[in-house]
Structures are given as C-alpha cells and as structure tokens.
Amino acid sequence: MTSVLLLAGTTEATQLADRLVRERGVDVMSSLAGVTTSPAHRAGRVRTGGFGGAEGLIEYLVTQDFDAVIDACHPFAAVMPFNVAAAAVTTGIPLCRVLRSAWTPTPGDQWIEVADLRTAAAALESIEAERVLLTVGRQSTWAFVDSDAWFLVRAIEAPDAVPRHHQLHLARGPFSLEDELALLDEHKIDAIVTKNAGGASTEAKLLAARQLGIPVVMVARPEQPEVTTVPDVDQALAWLDEVVEPRSGSVPYQRGV
Ligand code: NAP
C-alpha cells in the first residue's frame, strides 16, 4: 500500500487525507503541530506534535516507510516548510508543497500591504483606525497588544495575547458575504487586518470591505522554500500519481470517484 506523510493544519490537508484514503486506498499519516485543541476529523492515521526540527524529521522519515511527503501546512507556517524541504533533500523522499494562491487586490480595494505583523500594527495607527476586525489567527494577536484601537478578535480558539481593548468572536469559517457585511456593520468596523492566507472560505471579508469602502491591512506571506509546489488538492493528487508507483496489494486508483 502506498504510504504518505501529510503535514497538516489546513482545509486542504483535511481534504487530501480524506481523498487519499477513500479514493485511492493510500495509507495516510497526517501530522498536526498540536496548536488546535479540537482539530477537524480526518481519514487515516494522525500523529501530533513537533518532530524536533529538521534533524528530528529526518530521523522520523528514515525509521518510517513513506513513499512521499505532502506539505499542506498553512501559507504562514514559516518553519516547517523549510524543515521538510531539508529533510526531503537528505532522505531523497519525494516532496510536494500544497500552497493555495494568494489573494490579489482588485479595483475598489483599499489594501495597505505590509511585510509583517508589527508593520500591520503600525499601519493601523497611521490610518487612525478605531474599530478593527482582527483575523490573523490566535498565534499572531501578540503584535496588537499595545495598540490603542478597539479590536473585534475573530479566531477559532481564544488567543493567549489579546489587545487592551477588544471583544472575542470565536468562529470557524467559511463565512458568507452576507454574514461579513452584517458583522462589519454591527461592530462599526473601520479597518480589517488579515494575513494573505488566500482561499475561498475566508475571502468574503475582502468582498465586504470592498463593498463598504473599508481599508484592509494585508500581511504578506513569509518566504517559501524552492520545492515542487501545487495550488490545490487535485494537483497534489496528480503529483502523487506521477511520483509513486502503486505498490502491489494497494487498492487500484479510481480517478474521479
Ligand atoms: P511553523 O512556524 O512552520 O512551525 C513551528 C513548529 O511547529 C515546527 O518547527 C514544528 O516543530 C511544529 N510543526 C508545525 N507544523 C507541524 C505539523 N504539521 N506537524 C508537526 N509539527 C509541526 O508553523 P506555525 O505557524 O507554528 O503553525 C503550526 C501549525 O498550524 C501548522 O500545521 C500550520 O499549518 C497551522 N496553521 C498555521 C497558521 C499560521 O498563521 N501560522 C494558520 C493556520 C494554521 P518541530 O520543529 O519540533 O518539528
């Protein structure tokens, strides 16, 4: 049976695990960092927690028998993609990164594009934002703890560090345009801060901002390693077809099921 180590933490990783197991009979080991206390259910095996850097990951790969590694970590995971790239070079195991396309501004958008979270906090001051929708994920709210503005902090789980003046709004996407418009109106939001995560499930806030003329402070993605990269689940499956010969005894591939 073909076996794959799947570095998870995204919608794409959950979808990939399900499709690899159900459509192709692949033995999937999903790896979670362990930052979310109630991660989404997924098909296949699951392990949780760091490997101990690139060295630890290399050790793990040489003691396991994976045919390939798929890195479906979040576009803002800044360490793991480099660790797995180094581990793939050392072990020779085929590696593919799943990286969804970034959002791009369209006419009518008022984006302030910044390189990092600290610059995002400074940008809010320079535009004199008073009521901010903060959607950067619970691990990134630390950058706004000294801001004077009031924040509606939307996250899946409560962050440890929160701005001085804030209200928590715990929610998991996808979010509809109608709901985003209502949320921005209800809280009289005058600026949004987001990471350029890309993807459809959290894009409605950008459409709502455009419609209401609200500025968006958009944090750019971190650098990515130079590895084979695909934008979605379908192309990750196609990549696996090309690099891995089905082992005898594995369930035959059923394309399009
Ligand atoms: P990171 O900076 O790239 O990784 C930090 C450390 O966490 C890594 O060095 C590794 O520890 C461990 N780690 C990360 N992903 C892992 C995985 N899939 N399996 C096992 N260990 C993992 O990543 P991060 O930004 O802290 O994100 C952690 C997880 O949350 C990732 O799975 C990511 O996809 C997900 N996530 C991140 C964001 C974000 O904005 N950063 C948003 C949504 C989801 P060792 O070095 O000990 O192996």
Side-chain angles (χ1 to χ4, degrees):
M1 183 187 276
T2 299
S3 70
V4 168
L5 175 64
L6 176 60
L7 299 170
T10 52
T11 310
E12 288 86 344
T14 310
Q15 291 171 351
L16 254 176
D18 287 348
R19 291 188 60 185
L20 285 167
V21 170
R22 296 191 209 294
E23 296 178 11
R24 292 155 192 250
V26 170
D27 173 25
V28 177
M29 172 66 86
S30 289
S31 176
L32 294 165
V35 290
T36 306
T37 51
S38 55
H41 176 75
R42 68 205 65 229
R45 296 184 286 151
V46 177
R47 66 166 299 287
T48 304
F51 295 92
E55 292 302 314
L57 182 56
I58 290 166
E59 173 99 24
Y60 180 76
L61 289 174
V62 298
T63 57
Q64 306 290 318
D65 191 21
F66 296 113
D67 296 294
V69 179
I70 299 179
D71 172 7
C73 284
H74 192 267
F76 277 79
V79 178
M80 189 46 118
F82 286 92
N83 286 357
V84 71
V89 168
T90 304
T91 59
I93 192 165
L95 165 68
C96 176
R97 171 94 170 105
V98 184
L99 189 66
R100 63 180 93 119
S101 302
W103 293 313
T104 51
T106 58
D109 282 327
Q110 296 177 45
W111 284 17
I112 301 158
E113 296 182 73
V114 296
D116 53 42
L117 293 161
R118 283 189 200 286
T119 319
L124 286 177
E125 276 183 36
S126 63
I127 62 170
E128 298 179 3
E130 292 181 354
R131 297 182 64 83
V132 181
L133 173 62
L134 186 63
T135 63
V136 292
R138 61 185 276 252
Q139 293 184 89
S140 301
T141 49
W142 57 266
F144 303 89
V145 293
D146 293 328
S147 295
D148 292 328
W150 177 89
F151 290 83
L152 182 65
V153 179
R154 183 166 71 192
I156 295 172
E157 290 180 13
D160 293 332
V162 284
R164 274 197 297 265
H165 316 291
H166 78 280
Q167 180 180 324
L168 265 186
H169 181 60
L170 300 183
R172 190 192 288 263
F175 304 105
S176 70
L177 176 58
E178 196 184 10
D179 288 346
E180 297 294 51
L181 286 168
L183 188 78
L184 296 176
D185 180 55
E186 179 190 346
H187 294 281
K188 302 192 172 20
I189 298 298
D190 62 8
I192 296 175
V193 185
T194 183
K195 292 174 169 175
N196 197 334
S201 80
T202 55
E203 192 180 14
K205 65 190 167 198
L206 304 178
L207 308 181
R210 186 184 310 151
Q211 211 164 302
L212 299 174
I214 293 174
V216 175
V217 178
M218 182 67 72
V219 182
R221 291 179 173 188
E223 209 184 319
Q224 299 290 326
E226 289 184 13
V227 298
T228 300
T229 301
V230 298
D232 56 34
V233 168
D234 283 336
Q235 292 193 45
L237 293 170
W239 170 84
L240 190 67
D241 288 348
E242 284 190 8
V243 297
V244 178
E245 291 286 320
R247 293 187 192 174
S248 69
S250 65
V251 174
Y253 285 6
Q254 301 169 37
R255 283 180 188 276
V257 175

